[in-house]
Amino acid sequence: MQGERTIRVLIAKPGLDGHDRGAKVIARALRDAGMEVIYTGLRQTPEQIVEAAIQEDVDVIGLSILSGAHNVLFPRIMELLRERGIDDILVIGGGVIPHEDIPFLKECGIAEIFTPGTPISQIIDFIKNNVKK
Amino acid sequence: MFDKESLERLEQEKARWENSTVKKVIEKTPERYERFHTGSNLEVNRLYTPLDVQEMDYMKDLGFPGEYPFTRGIQPTMYRGRLWTMRQYAGFGTAEESNKRYKYLLSQGQTGLSVAFDLPTQIGYDSDHPLAQGEVGKVGVAIDSLKDMETLFDGIPLDKVSTSMTINAPAAILLAMYIAVAEKQGVSSDKLSGTIQNDILKEYVARGTYIFPPEPSMRLITDIFEFCSKHVPKWNTISISGYHIREAGATAVQEVAFTLANGIAYVEAAIKAGLDVDEFAPRLSFFFNAHNDLFEEVAKFRAARRLWAKIMKERFKAKDPKSMMLRFHTQTAGSTLTAQQPDNNIVRVTIQALAAVLGGTQSLHTNSRDEALALPTEESVRIALRTQQIIAYESGVTETVDPLAGSYYVEHLTNLIEQKAMEYIKKIDELGGAPKAIEKGYIQQEIQDSAYRYQQEIESGRRIVVGVNKFQIEEEPPKNLLKVDPEVEKIQKEKLSKLKATRDNLAVKNALEELSKKAMSNENLMPTIITCVKTYATLGEICDALRRVFGEYKATVSF
C-alpha cells in the first residue's frame, strides 16, 4: 500500500543461550510477511540491543531467550529504553518463560510474551495491531 | 538375498494387487494424503516388499552385531548382556544442590552421571562476570573453580561411576578439574570413565557456546585426544553431537551427514597433529537425537553406524575394529516437547526412547514432561527415568539384537538415509570439509531452511502437533515448576571472592602465565591446564589466559 511504512523489527537474543532456532524462524516469517527484519545474533547485552534498536530505527524489538535469565535481562532492556527516552518501540518476548513470570514482565513494559507453540500468524497480527509508530 | 525369478513374480503380483485390490478400496475410501512422508520429509510408500531392498547383500550391508559394518549393533549380544546406561542430564544452582540431585538419581537406579553446566561456565566466564548476570546456575550448575568441582562430586566415588560432562569450548579445563578431584579421592586418572562433549564444530553451527576461533579450538581438542590416549585411556574424549544440529531444525539425514562430517574433520585434525588413527579413534563417541518418527529414527541410527564404519575403514584406513564402531548416547528430542498439555510429553518421550533402544543406543537421556516450561522437577525426572526402566524391563524389546532388521521398510529407510547422508558428505568435502562449510555458512543455511519448512508445516496444519495445532484444550497454567534460587549468583560471587583471598595468588599468576606461553607453542596444553586448576585458578581466569593468545570467535549472522 502506498504511504504505509514498512514495519522494522529487531530480533534480539539477550543472555548467553545459543538456542536461536525460534529467533531465526520468526525473523524469516516476519520478513516473509513484508516486514524489514534485523537479527542481532547470539549473546547480546541489554545495552547492545537498545543501541541496535536506536541505530536501526526499529518499530519493534522481539526478544528471544531460553536461558532463564529473562527476569533480569528483560527489565534491564526496558529500563535502558526509558533512560534513552524511547516509548514508541513495541517490545515483545518469547522463549522458555514460565507463565508465572509473565505478569511481572508485562509490568516492566513488555507488551506480550509468546510461549512455545504460538502460531506465527498470531505474532504477526499482534505486531500489526500494536505497533506504535 | 532374493532370486531373480521370485522378484519378477513379486513385481507382477504387486502390480496386480495395486490394480485390483487396492484400487477398489481407494475408490471408496481415498487415502488421507496424496503423498506420505517421514518426519523428515522422506517419501513413504504404501507398502514395502523385497523389491525395495533387492540390492541388499546381508553379509556386506548388515553382517553380525559386534562385527563390521556394525549395522546391527556394536556389541555381539547388545542388551542381553548389559542394558544401556540410563543417564539423566542434570545440574542446576550450586554445586551443593546438584550434588544432592546426583545422589538422588543414583539412589533411584540411574547408572551414570551427566553434568549440565550453567551458561557462564560453558562460555568460560566466572559467576561475577558482567555477562553472567541472571545466568548463574540457571541451565546447569555453576563451576568457577576446582573448589566447586570438589563439592559437586563430594561422596561420589569417581572410580565407580561414569560421568558425562556437557562441556565444549572449556572442555580441557573441566576435564582437568575432574582429574584433580579424582586424585584427591585417591583415584588415578587411568581408572576414570566418562565423556566430555568437546565438540566445538557443532557449537558454531547449532549450539552457540563457542569461545575461541576454530583453529585453536581444534588444537585443544587434539591435545585432549593425545593426553587421554596416554593418561585417561577409558575416557571418551569427544561426543560428536548431532543432537543439537537436529534440535536446531535439521532433518534426520542432515543430522547424520553433518555429525559425521564433523567427525571426519576431527579425525583429519588428529592425524594432521601426528596421531595414529587407531590410537585415538576407539575413544570417539557420538550423541544423537531421538525424534518422533519411530522407524525413521531407528533407520537413522543403523545408517549412521554403517556409514561411520565404512568411513573409518575405507577413508582413514583404520585397522582396529573399535575405531570403526560408532558408539552413541541418545537424548529424546527437546524441540518436540510442548508447553501445552505437558503430560502428553511423557508419551512422546516413550516413543522416542523406544526408537533409541531399537536403534541400539549405548546410553540414554529421556526428557521430562515439563521441560518446555522450565527445568524439570524431581518428580518429572523420576517419570522420565521410569520410562526407560519400563522399556528396559517390561517391553521385551531388549531380548533380541536389532529386532527391526529385515523389515523391508526399515532396511529401505536405512539404505536411503545412508545414501542421502553420503551425498551431503560429498558436497561438504567439495567445499573443503566441515570447518570450511561452516565458515561459508553452508551447513547453517541448510539447517535453517529445514527448520523453517518444519514450522511452515505446523502453521499450515500439514504437520500435526497434538495439543498445539489440533486437539487443543483450555488449560490452567502448570504449577510446581522448578525455580532456581536467584541467591545462587550471590552465593557463587561470595565463594569466588573468598577463594581469591585465601589461595596462593602468586602460584595462580605463574601458572596462568605459563599457560599463555605454552598456548603460543605447539606443546600439549593439558598438563599446564591441570597445574592451573590445582592452584585454584578460576575457569574464567584460565579461559582469559587462553583468550589473550587465541582471540575470540565472532559469528556471522544470517537467518
Side-chain angles (χ1 to χ4, degrees):
Chain A
M1 257 179 288
Q2 224 179 357
E4 195 173 300
R5 186 170 184 267
T6 307
I7 298 173
R8 290 174 63 81
V9 185
L10 180 76
I11 298 292
K13 281 284 299 172
L16 300 181
D17 78 274
H19 304 97
D20 63 352
R21 173 179 182 168
K24 285 172 170 173
V25 164
I26 294 212
R28 196 148 153 187
L30 297 183
R31 188 175 64 193
D32 286 357
M35 301 180 198
E36 277 178 42
V37 184
I38 302 121
Y39 169 50
T40 61
L42 303 178
R43 295 190 212 169
Q44 300 295 301
T45 61
E47 288 77 8
Q48 287 171 319
I49 291 167
V50 169
E51 195 52 43
I54 293 168
Q55 291 301 320
E56 298 287 350
D57 187 25
V58 297
D59 309 295
V60 183
I61 302 176
L63 301 170
S64 165
I65 190 162
L66 286 88
S67 77
H70 47 271
N71 283 345
V72 173
L73 298 173
F74 284 15
R76 179 78 188 127
I77 290 163
M78 297 314 295
E79 191 184 307
L80 287 169
L81 285 170
R82 268 193 299 277
E83 276 172 21
R84 304 283 291 257
I86 294 160
D87 58 5
D88 59 351
I89 296 181
L90 176 72
V91 184
I92 55 179
V96 176
I97 296 174
H99 283 270
E100 59 198 64
D101 292 348
I102 294 175
F104 166 70
L105 297 173
K106 285 191 172 173
E107 264 168 47
C108 296
I110 308 284
E112 191 57 87
I113 297 289
F114 298 99
T115 48
T118 309
I120 294 182
S121 54
Q122 198 179 314
I123 300 172
I124 293 171
D125 288 345
F126 185 88
I127 290 174
K128 285 184 175 163
N129 294 332
N130 292 280
V131 69
K132 298 175 184 175
K133 285 187 191 171
Chain B
M1 284 188 21
F2 308 95
D3 65 85
K4 203 164 155 253
E5 206 174 300
S6 59
L7 283 172
E8 274 168 13
R9 202 166 139 247
L10 180 57
E11 201 163 4
Q12 288 164 8
E13 283 295 310
K14 194 178 169 219
R16 177 200 55 75
W17 171 73
E18 274 166 351
N19 293 326
S20 57
T21 314
V22 175
K23 207 168 159 217
K24 262 186 267 165
V25 170
I26 284 184
E27 276 164 9
K28 259 203 283 182
T29 326
E31 292 184 323
R32 288 177 294 117
Y33 300 107
E34 203 163 303
R35 283 164 177 275
F36 287 76
H37 297 98
T38 64
S40 289
N41 283 331
L42 297 175
E43 192 161 352
V44 179
N45 296 340
R46 180 178 300 121
L47 187 78
Y48 289 88
T49 67
L51 292 168
D52 299 285
V53 290
Q54 53 182 294
E55 307 292 325
M56 200 169 79
D57 175 328
Y58 183 86
M59 279 314 297
K60 190 170 137 280
D61 297 323
L62 300 181
F64 288 95
E67 291 179 6
Y68 187 85
F70 303 101
T71 314
R72 304 205 60 184
I74 60 156
Q75 290 122 3
T77 61
M78 286 305 289
Y79 307 131
R80 288 166 67 101
R82 197 176 74 83
L83 293 167
W84 62 92
T85 304
M86 299 179 192
R87 197 193 292 278
Q88 297 296 94
Y89 183 48
F92 60 92
T94 58
E96 286 83 359
E97 282 175 282
S98 296
N99 176 265
K100 224 175 97 202
R101 176 73 67 104
Y102 297 156
K103 285 178 175 162
Y104 171 78
L105 286 166
L106 290 170
S107 77
Q108 291 297 305
Q110 175 165 296
T111 46
L113 293 178
S114 174
V115 182
F117 296 101
D118 73 356
L119 286 161
T121 306
Q122 293 188 49
I123 303 173
Y125 298 128
D126 288 338
S127 298
D128 59 359
H129 191 281
L131 279 171
Q133 220 199 341
E135 307 275 11
V136 177
K138 282 280 157 58
V139 303
V141 59
I143 299 293
D144 288 325
S145 74
L146 180 58
K147 268 263 176 322
D148 292 326
M149 203 71 162
E150 288 163 3
T151 309
L152 189 66
F153 293 106
D154 183 53
I156 299 171
L158 299 189
D159 52 345
K160 301 262 163 33
V161 294
S162 75
T163 303
S164 167
M165 293 190 272
T166 299
I167 195 73
N168 293 279
I173 303 162
L174 273 302
L175 175 61
M177 287 184 186
Y178 195 80
I179 292 169
V181 173
E183 211 178 284
K184 291 206 166 184
Q185 287 189 1
V187 177
S188 58
S189 64
D190 60 322
K191 301 224 164 47
L192 296 176
S193 70
T195 308
I196 40 176
Q197 199 161 72
N198 199 25
D199 170 12
I200 200 66
L201 291 173
K202 66 92 176 54
E203 296 296 328
Y204 300 127
V205 299
R207 194 167 173 277
T209 67
Y210 40 73
I211 302 175
F212 314 112
E215 212 169 295
S217 295
M218 294 297 272
R219 178 255 181 115
L220 279 170
I221 291 167
T222 52
D223 279 1
I224 292 171
F225 287 0
E226 190 194 14
F227 180 85
C228 288
S229 73
K230 296 194 180 105
H231 306 286
V232 207
K234 292 197 289 181
W235 198 264
N236 297 313
T237 51
I238 192 167
S239 172
I240 306 163
S241 305
Y243 183 79
H244 319 88
I245 291 172
R246 188 68 178 279
E247 286 292 290
T251 64
V253 166
Q254 289 170 337
E255 181 188 355
V256 172
F258 300 156
T259 309
L260 299 198
N262 287 348
I264 290 169
Y266 294 123
V267 174
E268 281 174 348
I271 290 172
K272 209 174 139 205
L275 302 182
D276 177 71
V277 67
D278 286 319
E279 204 178 301
F280 66 87
R283 298 318 305 169
L284 305 178
S285 65
F286 289 80
F287 174 20
F288 289 112
N289 196 300
H291 217 273
N292 282 335
D293 189 315
L294 182 69
F295 296 118
E296 179 173 56
E297 292 302 292
V298 175
K300 175 188 80 180
F301 298 124
R302 302 172 84 244
R305 245 189 327 261
R306 183 161 71 203
L307 186 48
W308 185 248
K310 287 184 191 164
I311 290 168
M312 291 310 290
K313 189 174 181 175
E314 289 162 18
R315 182 169 178 154
F316 293 113
K317 314 287 175 220
K319 302 269 185 309
D320 184 348
K322 286 197 163 62
S323 300
M324 305 167 202
M325 284 181 195
L326 180 141
R327 296 173 299 126
F328 67 100
H329 172 68
T330 307
Q331 180 170 340
T332 58
S335 62
T336 65
L337 300 177
T338 64
Q340 295 75 14
Q341 304 174 43
D343 285 350
N344 294 346
N345 292 325
I346 298 172
V347 184
R348 293 191 177 95
V349 166
T350 306
I351 295 168
Q352 296 163 0
L354 187 60
V357 171
L358 291 170
T361 195
Q362 276 60 62
S363 61
L364 178 61
H365 166 103
T366 33
N367 290 327
S368 299
R369 58 183 167 173
D370 45 3
E371 289 188 77
L373 301 154
L375 286 187
T377 61
E378 208 162 82
E379 192 196 347
S380 301
V381 175
R382 191 176 58 231
I383 296 172
L385 178 60
R386 295 289 180 256
T387 305
Q388 294 197 38
Q389 290 163 337
I390 290 167
I391 292 172
Y393 297 104
E394 298 185 19
S395 76
V397 299
T398 51
E399 312 302 272
T400 186
V401 177
D402 189 25
L404 288 182
S407 148
Y408 307 122
Y409 180 41
V410 171
E411 295 298 355
H412 162 78
L413 275 179
T414 304
N415 295 341
L416 189 64
I417 291 172
E418 183 190 0
Q419 175 209 324
K420 286 186 172 291
M422 202 51 232
E423 284 164 17
Y424 259 123
I425 291 173
K426 201 160 155 259
K427 166 92 188 169
I428 291 167
D429 281 338
E430 283 163 13
L431 290 170
K436 279 274 177 303
I438 292 167
E439 203 182 294
K440 290 180 174 129
Y442 169 73
I443 291 175
Q444 297 91 313
Q445 196 59 53
E446 288 293 303
I447 297 171
Q448 285 160 30
D449 287 348
S450 297
Y452 195 54
R453 209 176 307 126
Y454 191 97
Q455 186 61 32
Q456 282 178 316
E457 286 161 10
I458 293 175
E459 301 277 327
S460 72
R462 176 60 176 89
R463 186 185 289 271
I464 288 163
V465 184
V466 172
V468 173
N469 63 358
K470 205 169 178 159
F471 312 114
Q472 300 98 320
I473 52 168
E474 286 293 324
E475 54 186 326
E476 288 282 303
K479 293 184 191 79
N480 304 325
L481 297 176
L482 183 121
K483 265 225 170 301
V484 175
D485 186 354
E487 286 292 290
V488 173
E489 195 164 322
K490 220 181 95 203
I491 297 169
Q492 281 303 116
K493 282 183 182 172
E494 280 164 9
K495 281 203 271 181
L496 260 175
S497 55
K498 205 173 130 202
L499 175 81
K500 287 182 184 172
T502 51
R503 66 184 182 180
D504 179 351
N505 280 308
L506 185 65
V508 172
K509 189 170 160 270
N510 289 340
L512 291 172
E513 273 169 14
E514 181 67 14
L515 179 60
S516 288
K517 216 165 72 195
K518 288 267 168 71
M520 283 183 268
S521 75
N522 286 326
E523 260 180 77
N524 194 310
L525 292 177
M526 273 308 289
T528 319
I529 292 173
I530 292 173
T531 308
C532 288
V533 305
K534 284 183 177 169
T535 66
Y536 293 93
T538 66
L539 177 79
E541 290 168 336
I542 298 172
C543 286
D544 279 345
L546 294 173
R547 280 187 185 101
R548 278 193 283 280
V549 180
F550 295 157
E552 290 186 70
Y553 178 72
K554 289 272 168 283
T556 48
V557 177
S558 74
F559 62 87

